Amino acid sequence: MDATPQEFDRVLSSMCTRPHPAAARAAQRFLADNPGDPATYPDVAALEERALDTLGTVAGLDDPAGYVAGGGTEANLQAVRAARDLAASDEPVVVAPTSVHFSFQKAADVLGVTLRLVPTDDDHRADPDAVAAAVGDETALVVAVAGTTEFGRVDPIPELAAIAAEADARFHVDAAWGGFHLPFTEHEWHFGHASLDTLTIDPHKVGRAPIPAGGFLARDRATLDALAVETPYLETTAQATLAGTRSGAGVAGAAAALDAQWPDEYRENHERAAANATYLAEGLRDRGYDVVPPGLPLVAFDLPESAFDAVRAEGWRLSRTGSGEARIVCMPHVTRAMLEAFLETLDAVRVG
Ligand code: PLP
């Protein structure tokens, strides 16, 4: 088979996007470097420090501990792992809203902890009263989402942080997707706004780094120390990451993406995406579709199955939420012209 990479001109469902050109160039140069062994590969290790510093700046943390992970799944798993290993309870429980990404189910499964999911409110956000009722002595971690995968919602982070502190549990925020939109909004979501222990923020999503480039940030070194194992055969003596060998392309690409775009290009991207989400939501409402009002730039709306299948048959990559709405993520590659063309397809399949 003569395989070709996916073109992005009809992709509306994905949280991945075209990498920034500077990031793609940097990735190409560091393909063979292994940031998992910084003593042998010092240059890519220095790029990782630089990426980490900028991620800290984005997320309100002066002296961040953390690293460039394989993606949001790994970063979330590491947050759960640290909480489990630092927990007082032998049977630690993670309390999270039902809107958390499915990576927490994997983390709970792999790490042998209980995941207690708490229903969200009518606006798809974590409900602080319900979370408070679900925490107890065995709660090791409370999770909040800043930019949910299905509806783009931001949970009430300060209230949830206070609930975690009251329960003597750690607090993790998953801003894997939302982290490069939120600095340009009024939301309170990061280390500077509330007492967080860990945070996920992925350069390979809205950050326009090449895959794989997730971001795992921790308030203090003790979190990384809890995750570290000794590494006898490497030049480096300990490793806190989950993966051993890691992608130099991901790390160098993340550093270059952040250098090129923070903050001005990220702000421009946010403003363009937010305007596109508003345009799309209005266009859909004008046509009689039921639209979930967008929070961060992601539009979910009711679309009958026959129309969903028909637009997909026209080449549009579209997905559904767990509750059945079609969802469109206004990623950096999603332009106004694409959305106009999408609405035209919707009109055509309705008529046809
Ligand atoms: N967290 C959130 C909020 C996400 O939206 C996603 C993926 O879309 C993830 C975590 C998982 O990230 P990855 O697919 O990079 O592992």
Side-chain angles (χ1 to χ4, degrees), residues 324-342:
E325 293 87 354
R327 67 187 258 293
I328 291 179
V329 192
C330 293
M331 290 298 286
H333 65 269
V334 174
T335 60
R336 183 65 63 94
M338 270 172 80
L339 295 175
E340 285 166 1
F342 174 74

Side-chain angles (χ1 to χ4, degrees), residues 14-16 70-76 99-104 106 145-150 174-178 200 202 204-205 213-214 327:
S14 183
M15 289 189 155
C16 300
T73 299
E74 178 184 339
N76 287 340
S99 53
V100 282
H101 186 259
F102 55 74
S103 47
F104 286 95
K106 297 184 186 180
V145 193
T148 58
T149 314
E150 295 199 323
D174 182 358
W177 174 70
T200 295
D202 283 357
H204 76 192
K205 295 187 170 70
R327 67 187 258 293

Side-chain angles (χ1 to χ4, degrees), residues 298-340:
L298 191 163
V299 181
F301 63 104
D302 283 335
L303 184 65
E305 196 157 334
S306 54
F308 182 85
D309 292 343
V311 289
R312 290 200 85 246
E314 292 298 317
W316 292 100
R317 306 269 66 91
L318 195 64
S319 67
R320 284 189 186 283
T321 65
S323 43
E325 293 87 354
R327 67 187 258 293
I328 291 179
V329 192
C330 293
M331 290 298 286
H333 65 269
V334 174
T335 60
R336 183 65 63 94
M338 270 172 80
L339 295 175
E340 285 166 1

